[in-house]
Amino acid sequence: MDQILYDAEDGVATITLNRPEAANAQTMALLDDLDAAWSRAARDEDVRVIVLKANGRHFSAGHDLNDRWPGPGEITLEWIYDAETRRYLEYSLKWRNIPKPTIAAVQGKCIAAGLMLCWPCDLIVAAENAEFSDPVVHMGIGGVEYHGHTWELGPRKAKEILFTGRPLTAREAEQVGMVNKVVPLEALDKAALELAARIAKMPPFGLRQAKRAVNQTLDVQGFYAALQAVFDVHQTGHGNALSVDGFPILTRLDEMKQRLKQG
């Protein structure tokens, strides 16, 4: 079964995460396929708006901790740094800067690296049952590789969700401006596609310039430089974990997996 589905119609490309049996947890292969879909939509001159959605109960449980790793004793910080630079930081930044409006439709759990899929999008429509969290401090890591936290939530709310690991509800995310609109679960796809269709009617060059204006303003304020710097800070967490027990994280999130099964 394809892990990523792609469809384009009436100026709107829809990219769908299609690993529902694993709560759309992200393997390296899935991210490569996802990047290919983003690139396809970016190249297609008939596509004016891109929607990212997910099949199943949850948007994404984050990185698949069962994905391939080098053998015991072979994991090095250099290997981790190179792998995460390409597939996490660079992919997310690339998707953020695609010169077309993008919309994420989020339901259920959006955990840790799940944020690295929806945060690069220009707009987020969330189902009422959506929950956003980054519990990786439990793993001895200060946050995911794409540090949008401070920009998306503000400094105090960012610290709160990192320090506690608690999920942010869809309504809370809307209140702080991270989410544009909250809708009933059964209306999520329709709401995202209706928003995309409305935007697709606008002049494409105007949309491109409007997106560039906002993104460039954030970059002038330090967004890009901060992400690069915090990515290096993130790697110290992996280095510490490697020095403590020889694995790049201190704990596996068995409790989180149990909550996924229950929720």
Side-chain angles (χ1 to χ4, degrees):
M1 182 173 65
D2 291 339
Q3 296 185 102
I4 300 296
L5 304 179
Y6 184 92
D7 179 69
E9 185 176 359
D10 297 329
V12 177
T14 302
I15 301 171
T16 305
L17 308 176
N18 190 39
R19 202 181 176 217
E21 75 287 353
N24 294 305
Q26 304 161 30
T27 63
M28 298 291 189
L30 181 145
L31 289 172
D32 289 342
D33 289 348
L34 178 58
D35 180 63
W38 277 111
S39 297
R40 178 180 177 183
R43 289 192 304 267
D44 189 339
E45 294 181 358
D46 292 328
V47 169
R48 295 193 173 188
V49 182
I50 305 168
V51 174
L52 176 67
K53 60 188 287 287
N55 284 336
R57 297 167 64 190
H58 303 295
F59 181 75
S60 178
H63 296 320
D64 188 335
L65 299 182
N66 296 315
D67 199 15
R68 63 183 185 273
W69 290 87
E74 297 177 355
I75 303 176
T76 66
L77 188 56
E78 181 178 9
W79 184 91
I80 298 168
Y81 193 96
D82 289 345
E84 295 194 347
T85 296
R86 176 190 168 194
R87 288 194 172 92
Y88 303 158
L89 181 61
E90 290 182 356
Y91 274 179
S92 293
L93 282 170
K94 174 184 173 183
W95 304 334
R96 177 213 183 222
N97 291 318
I98 285 174
K100 297 179 181 182
T102 59
I103 302 169
V106 180
Q107 81 279 10
K109 303 291 194 294
C110 179
I111 300 173
L115 300 170
M116 295 164 57
L117 304 186
C118 68
W119 278 348
C121 293
D122 300 311
L123 307 176
I124 299 177
V125 179
E128 291 173 334
N129 74 339
E131 293 184 347
F132 304 85
S133 63
D134 186 8
V136 297
V137 169
H138 290 301
M139 307 165 76
I141 309 295
V144 294
E145 295 82 355
Y146 181 92
H147 184 82
H149 311 64
T150 305
W151 303 86
E152 297 283 353
L153 305 172
R156 284 191 169 80
K157 187 60 70 174
K159 290 175 183 176
E160 178 187 340
I161 71 161
L162 286 169
F163 292 175
T164 66
R166 80 165 181 88
L168 201 69
T169 67
R171 291 296 180 189
E172 286 180 292
E174 183 183 36
Q175 289 171 1
V176 298
M178 192 193 97
V179 162
N180 296 90
K181 187 176 183 179
V182 178
V183 299
L185 176 61
E186 61 272 16
L188 179 62
D189 286 357
K190 181 180 179 181
L193 290 174
E194 285 181 347
L195 179 58
R198 179 179 179 181
I199 295 171
K201 295 177 182 178
M202 302 291 283
F205 187 74
L207 290 170
R208 176 175 184 163
Q209 294 304 91
K211 175 169 181 170
R212 181 170 172 80
V214 176
N215 281 5
Q216 286 287 86
T217 299
L218 290 172
D219 289 343
V220 168
Q221 292 173 341
F223 177 85
Y224 179 79
L227 254 67
Q228 297 291 335
V230 178
F231 179 80
D232 290 341
V233 172
H234 170 91
Q235 298 303 317
T236 66
H238 288 315
N240 178 65
L242 284 170
S243 69
V244 171
D245 63 12
F247 197 71
I249 56 176
L250 292 181
T251 60
R252 293 181 181 272
L253 295 182
D254 294 332
E255 181 181 343
M256 181 190 75
K257 293 180 179 179
Q258 187 61 34
R259 289 203 303 269
L260 277 171
K261 293 178 181 178
Q262 294 172 351

